[in-house]
Amino acid sequence: MKVDWTTFWPRILQATGETITMVIFTLIFASILGIIMGLLLFATRKGNILENRFIFSFLNLLINIIRPIPFIIFLVAISPLTRFVVGTTIGTTAAIFPMTIAAAFAIARVVENNLVSIDPGIIEAAKAMGASPIQIIFGVLIPEALGPLILGITFITVGLIDFSAMAGTVGGGGLGDLAMTYGYQRFDTSVMIVTVVILIILVQIAQFIGNMLSRFFLRR
Amino acid sequence: MIRLERVSKIYESGGKKVEAVKDVSLHIKKGDIFGIIGFSGAGKSTLLRLVNLLERPTKGNIIVDNYDLNSISSKDLRQLRRKIGMIFQTFNLFNSRTVYGNIAYPLKLEKKSKEEIHQRVTELLQFVGLEDKADKFPEQLSGGQKQRVGIARALATSPDILLCDEATSALDPETTNEILNLLKKVNEEFNITILLITHEMNVIRKICNRVAVMENGRIIEEGEVFNIFSNPQEKTTKNFISSVVNEKLSSSLLEKLRKDHERKLYRIVFSGDTASQPILSTLTAKHNIHFNIIYGSINELQNQLFGNLIVEFIGADSQIEEVLKELTEIVEVREVTNGES
Ligand SMILES: Nc1ncnc2c1ncn2[C@@H]1O[C@H](COP(=O)(O)OP(=O)(O)O)[C@@H](O)[C@H]1O
Ligand SMILES: [Mg+2]
């Protein structure tokens, strides 16, 4: 069975828009949550500026539990919570919730890893100048780690495009949904190819923007 | 300015205890350039970091600028830290900020206006001689330039005290001298008290007026640099001193000297005024004997000369005895034996 391309292009356009929406909103929410968690994770670590064993162990455990769950399973497992928060489990908005949660934990680790690699001497220098923990977090930790942090978040963004395709298959819409319903279930290779090409282009764009931003902050 | 009273610091990690600082008492006066020298692991960094409470003492009292650090509130501590600059062996500059941004950072913490910051940073850039590097990032600078930025940054808030943790240990000898001169200038022009730690006696010799020798967490010897150099008591101190005044002759050189000179060899140590007087020639002339300088070195220390000669005397034994007796009353004289080189 062949699709009618004149009516199909608008659908592709719409699906692309849905994918971009899912990725961008997820990225915004997950970055906020992930950066906060990552900073807390780092700052509460033993010997660091806000050392707190309880918060650290709790966050660490939570991340270690959620991170290894395959996204497609996480998506289904978390659906009662999604319904509770968003009101439904179907549609683009509903897909953003589980994507945000999963990505936030990944970003938290990326943030933590990048902060750990900052020379402790630099933090100590700021401390010796009388900087408060908050001033150290915003004036030293974030700026010092920003370049590699952006690369890490770019990597996750690319992963989000992948997540969005999966979320699509369970009713999230977007390119993944399109590829599945037309390309996979109706054996229409041309639709498959078009969606794949668009996905590749999206990934390239995300990577390009990420590289550019990180280069700007790394000045290399 | 800085007073430590019976201070100890014990680190506990993984059930193991390390006593890095043991029962140390020190008094650093305003205007001092006080040096602490010791081998790696002696506890110098720990001691230095106690002064701005980057480490908390396990026992004892630390008083800085009239604040008792045991009872200081965290707000007062941040305030006090702005009056204590610190520079580091590895510079610890903010890589994400330009030279200008690095120096401006402590001023931003004080919520100074843009204009005030600009004026102060410009002043400091000029002081450390980096006016043309304001917009460079640390990675674009040489080691010496990085330490200049470190010094400018530490001085930004016009501190009373500057702490230096091996500030020149990552630099080549020439750059080390430049940075030491700059530190001296900091001390003289702004009357900033400097507490520095190092493992190089050369650093102590060049700029410190007082020195403490640290070993295994303890201060084993302390005093005016000149006195310590001219009359060291402890073996470790002597080792450090010999590293800069070439006091120690290698055994091969000593052997060679012995081969060429069959007479007894004497080491004569001059210090202060005695180094600038013709003592040897006066005495030998008086007793009608000659002397021959086999080896010697003269160093400048705190604007005083510090000399070290190995000589042999030529003449009648009885006259030599007389000269030695009179010499001993004025300077330090030791016979050079095989054990002592
Ligand atoms: N944070 C720390 N935790 C545990 N042990 C430490 C710590 N810092 C230093 N030490 C130990 O304390 C001793 C003194 O170290 P340090 O003050 O750095 O000496 P120095 O600066 O003279 O080389 C060493 O044995 C070192 O291993
Ligand atoms: Mg050290």
Side-chain angles (χ1 to χ4, degrees):
Chain A
M1 160 177 182
K2 281 277 162 219
V3 289
D4 174 3
W5 285 95
T6 50
T7 59
F8 197 68
W9 274 119
R11 283 222 50 193
I12 288 194
L13 226 57
Q14 190 203 343
T16 308
E18 283 166 1
T19 295
I20 293 175
T21 309
M22 279 191 273
V23 170
I24 287 183
F25 277 98
T26 303
L27 194 61
I28 294 169
F29 297 138
S31 295
I32 295 170
L33 276 176
I35 288 173
I36 292 173
M37 280 196 289
L39 280 169
L40 267 179
L41 202 57
F42 175 77
T44 57
R45 197 181 254 259
K46 191 167 190 307
N48 285 1
I49 46 176
L50 293 171
E51 178 173 343
N52 184 315
R53 234 175 68 196
F54 179 75
I55 297 181
F56 176 79
S57 312
F58 175 75
L59 276 177
N60 200 34
L61 187 70
L62 199 63
I63 294 174
N64 284 345
I65 290 173
I66 304 223
R67 280 273 313 274
I69 303 175
F71 182 64
I72 192 90
I73 293 172
F74 180 73
L75 198 59
V76 178
I78 204 181
S79 58
L81 192 60
T82 309
R83 182 171 299 120
F84 179 75
V85 175
V86 189
T88 170
T89 57
I90 297 177
T92 308
T93 325
I96 291 174
F97 181 74
M99 281 171 69
T100 298
I101 304 295
F105 285 103
I107 289 177
R109 270 288 183 244
V110 168
V111 170
E112 189 207 12
N113 287 341
N114 281 305
L115 293 179
V116 167
S117 66
I118 296 176
D119 180 355
I122 292 178
I123 300 167
E124 192 163 282
K127 231 164 119 181
M129 285 172 211
S132 68
I134 295 291
Q135 287 170 325
I136 291 177
I137 288 174
F138 291 101
V140 180
L141 293 183
I142 293 181
E144 287 295 307
L146 204 54
L149 204 61
I150 289 173
L151 280 184
I153 290 180
T154 305
F155 181 77
I156 284 170
T157 308
V158 170
L160 281 180
I161 295 173
D162 179 28
F163 278 14
S164 79
M166 273 191 258
T169 63
V170 295
L175 288 168
D177 193 14
L178 204 63
M180 284 302 276
T181 45
Y182 285 82
Y184 182 67
Q185 284 158 7
R186 302 192 196 172
F187 307 105
D188 188 330
T189 324
S190 56
V191 172
M192 193 72 120
I193 288 172
V194 170
T195 49
V196 167
V197 168
I198 293 176
L199 285 173
I200 290 174
I201 292 171
L202 287 182
V203 168
Q204 294 301 320
I205 292 174
Q207 192 66 53
F208 176 76
I209 294 175
N211 286 350
M212 223 173 53
L213 282 175
S214 84
R215 197 168 312 132
F216 176 76
F217 287 108
L218 276 172
R219 311 170 319 277
R220 289 218 182 97
Chain B
M1 189 100 254
I2 305 172
R3 193 184 283 278
L4 282 83
E5 288 162 356
R6 312 207 60 170
V7 173
S8 296
K9 172 70 189 180
I10 300 171
Y11 288 113
E12 266 174 88
S13 55
K16 271 210 307 199
K17 284 188 182 180
V18 180
E19 195 169 3
V21 171
K22 295 174 191 160
D23 199 20
V24 166
S25 299
L26 275 181
H27 181 204
I28 292 135
K29 290 195 278 295
K30 183 149 184 62
D32 271 352
I33 303 186
F34 195 107
I36 298 174
I37 189 167
F39 294 115
S40 170
K44 308 180 296 293
S45 294
T46 305
L47 185 60
L48 192 73
R49 293 151 50 84
L50 286 168
V51 174
N52 59 359
L53 229 52
L54 287 176
E55 300 290 352
R56 292 205 167 258
T58 313
K59 263 187 280 182
N61 297 317
I62 304 172
I63 290 121
V64 181
D65 245 355
N66 297 325
Y67 282 106
D68 181 348
L69 297 196
N70 275 334
S71 56
I72 194 167
S73 69
S74 50
K75 192 161 157 280
D76 280 350
L77 175 60
R78 282 204 284 275
Q79 217 50 50
L80 177 63
R81 279 176 174 167
R82 285 170 198 176
K83 288 285 150 205
I84 307 177
M86 189 168 192
I87 58 173
F88 307 86
Q89 177 172 5
T90 50
F91 322 118
N92 294 344
L93 301 180
F94 304 123
N95 297 311
S96 58
R97 294 176 194 268
T98 59
V99 166
Y100 185 99
N102 266 278
I103 303 173
Y105 182 74
L107 297 166
K108 281 191 184 149
L109 292 180
E110 291 200 329
K111 309 239 159 29
K112 289 273 194 289
S113 74
K114 259 205 157 74
E115 293 74 38
E116 279 176 292
I117 292 179
H118 183 78
Q119 196 194 337
R120 182 73 181 136
V121 174
T122 310
E123 214 171 274
L124 287 160
L125 280 171
Q126 205 169 354
F127 179 75
V128 299
L130 289 178
E131 300 99 316
D132 55 334
K133 297 278 188 278
D135 297 326
K136 293 270 183 285
F137 283 93
E139 68 198 17
Q140 298 167 299
L141 303 178
S142 70
Q145 291 169 336
K146 283 183 195 170
Q147 197 57 291
R148 285 170 187 273
V149 177
I151 291 172
R153 184 177 68 173
L155 296 181
T157 51
S158 309
D160 303 323
I161 298 170
L162 181 63
L163 305 176
C164 312
D165 189 341
E166 304 264 7
T168 56
S169 299
L171 305 174
D172 60 59
E174 200 176 320
T175 317
T176 293
N177 280 341
E178 285 171 24
I179 294 296
L180 291 179
N181 288 336
L182 184 59
L183 289 177
K184 186 125 198 163
K185 198 167 116 185
V186 166
N187 171 258
E188 283 166 358
E189 281 189 24
F190 307 128
N191 195 23
I192 292 176
T193 308
I194 297 181
L195 176 57
L196 66 83
I197 62 172
T198 180
H199 63 271
E200 294 170 321
M201 203 59 174
N202 181 44
V203 170
I204 305 280
R205 184 184 65 149
K206 282 218 66 168
I207 64 168
C208 294
N209 64 320
R210 288 184 74 81
V211 61
V213 183
M214 197 165 182
E215 192 172 43
N216 296 324
R218 287 182 199 284
I219 301 289
I220 54 169
E221 195 162 354
E222 194 222 320
E224 298 283 328
V225 168
F226 185 76
N227 293 340
I228 298 285
F229 265 77
S230 47
N231 191 18
Q233 301 299 311
E234 300 291 329
K235 190 160 177 294
T236 305
T237 315
K238 288 177 187 166
N239 281 340
F240 276 122
I241 290 169
S242 67
S243 69
V244 286
V245 297
N246 305 325
E247 194 188 35
K248 229 175 182 161
L249 301 184
S250 69
S251 48
S252 57
L253 179 60
L254 188 66
E255 211 168 288
K256 188 176 173 304
L257 292 178
R258 284 223 174 277
K259 218 187 269 167
D260 301 342
H261 307 274
E262 284 163 5
R263 298 183 181 85
K264 283 181 176 173
L265 300 181
Y266 294 92
R267 176 191 298 285
I268 303 175
V269 182
F270 300 94
S271 52
D273 290 343
T274 61
S276 50
Q277 287 165 21
I279 296 165
L280 257 186
S281 50
T282 317
L283 278 177
T284 46
K286 184 172 140 199
H287 293 282
N288 209 13
I289 63 171
H290 297 282
F291 68 97
N292 184 19
I293 298 177
I294 291 166
Y295 177 91
S297 68
I298 293 188
N299 284 280
E300 192 200 326
L301 258 182
Q302 298 292 307
N303 303 321
Q304 296 188 67
L305 292 173
F306 183 79
N308 200 312
L309 298 180
I310 293 183
V311 299
E312 62 179 347
F313 296 102
I314 305 152
D317 281 353
S318 59
Q319 297 298 343
I320 293 175
E321 286 277 297
E322 272 305 309
V323 168
L324 284 174
K325 221 174 91 189
E326 288 185 39
L327 260 183
T328 315
E329 283 161 17
I330 315 169
V331 294
E332 195 183 328
V333 184
R334 286 197 304 270
E335 189 181 339
V336 179
T337 57
N338 281 329
E340 190 256 20
S341 53

